């Protein structure tokens, strides 16, 4: 399981960066594993970014993916 260590510096995603991440994560199936989502979206720009920015990117991807999974489960179980 991927985890973000909150004690290390994290640069939060904002505005267009966050929107772009949400669109890309939304295009993938929500029941894929966290690691699979990260691997599918990882690219040269993310790899060359600072550690703080990479942590923020991973955090935003995982939060978005978790929200999508939650919505999917609620819809499929008839709780929505």
């Amino acid at each position: 399981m991927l985890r973000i260590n909150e004690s290390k510096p994290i640069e939060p995603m904002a505005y267009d960066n966050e929107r772009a991440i949400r669109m890309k994560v939304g295009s993938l199936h929500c029941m894929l594993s966290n690691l699979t989502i990260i691997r599918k979206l990882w690219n040269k720009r993310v790899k060359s970014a600072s550690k703080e920015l990479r942590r923020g990117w991973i955090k935003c991807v995982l939060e978005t993916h978790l929200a999508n999974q939650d919505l999917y489960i609620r819809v499929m179980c008839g709780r929505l």
Side-chain angles (χ1 to χ4, degrees), residues 2 17-29 32-48 54 57-66 68:
L2 292 171
N17 292 332
E18 184 176 10
R19 185 180 56 79
I21 289 170
R22 290 187 186 281
M23 293 293 289
K24 288 179 181 178
V25 172
S27 70
L28 300 171
H29 195 279
L32 292 173
S33 71
N34 290 339
L35 187 57
T36 302
I37 295 291
I38 297 292
R39 285 181 177 160
K40 285 185 180 276
L41 298 178
W42 194 265
N43 59 32
K44 290 180 184 177
R45 287 186 188 163
V46 177
K47 188 175 182 180
S48 65
R54 281 185 290 193
W57 182 86
I58 290 171
K59 182 179 179 185
C60 185
V61 167
L62 293 179
E63 287 173 350
T64 304
H65 183 56
L66 183 64
N68 290 348

Side-chain angles (χ1 to χ4, degrees), residues 9-11 48-57:
I10 297 173
E11 186 172 329
S48 65
S50 67
K51 285 186 178 182
E52 294 83 8
L53 191 58
R54 281 185 290 193
R55 285 187 198 110
W57 182 86

